Amino acid sequence: QVQFEESGGGSVQSGEALTLSCTASRSTTYTENSLGWFRQAPGKAREGVAAIYSDGRPSWYADSVKGRFTISQHAPVNTIYLQMNNLTPEDTATYYCAADFVDTAHMERGYWGEGTQVTVSS
């Protein structure tokens, strides 16, 4: 079982920035193989946003956020951040932190948190 602590959501204007943070706690000694974020807006399908891996693979980003979002991992282990710049109303969604997924198209098949709301107004 993985416990998640997510924070950083909020309401901003178009063009502004937000940073989401997440700590995934399974144990003090276990390093998650994959950590990331997916989002879901009302009436829309879930969308993988970004992923970071412990095995050295390059980070992954959805085409819709490339160049605007940056995922990073810092101490303590299993803590990740999502820096979101130049936000648009299309980024409005609930953002979920996910761990231990294999496919970025289906991060929900791993473990995931309760989500944090991001609202961008024009």
Side-chain angles (χ1 to χ4, degrees):
Q1 189 74 15
V2 182
Q3 304 294 321
F4 292 89
E5 184 175 338
E6 301 160 302
S7 63
S11 297
V12 297
Q13 298 287 319
S14 184
E16 293 184 341
L18 279 174
T19 301
L20 306 182
S21 65
C22 169
T23 296
S25 303
R26 189 194 299 247
S27 80
T28 57
T29 59
Y30 185 86
T31 300
E32 298 293 341
N33 293 325
S34 56
L35 288 164
W37 300 88
F38 68 90
R39 65 187 180 186
Q40 187 161 24
K44 295 186 178 180
R46 289 191 188 100
E47 177 188 24
V49 175
I52 194 165
Y53 304 97
S54 63
D55 62 3
R57 278 179 284 170
S59 298
W60 171 87
Y61 297 93
D63 288 344
S64 58
V65 306
K66 279 181 183 175
R68 300 188 299 122
F69 290 14
T70 302
I71 190 169
S72 61
Q73 187 166 16
H74 300 277
V77 66
N78 298 330
T79 295
I80 59 171
Y81 301 89
L82 186 68
Q83 174 66 43
M84 305 184 294
N85 296 328
N86 194 22
L87 286 161
T88 73
E90 289 68 38
D91 296 314
T92 295
T94 300
Y95 285 69
Y96 298 89
C97 183
D100 199 24
F101 50 84
V102 174
D103 183 355
T104 54
H106 295 285
M107 290 185 183
E108 74 281 1
R109 292 178 181 172
Y111 299 94
W112 39 289
E114 295 184 352
T116 184
Q117 178 67 35
V118 172
T119 302
V120 185
S121 56
S122 57

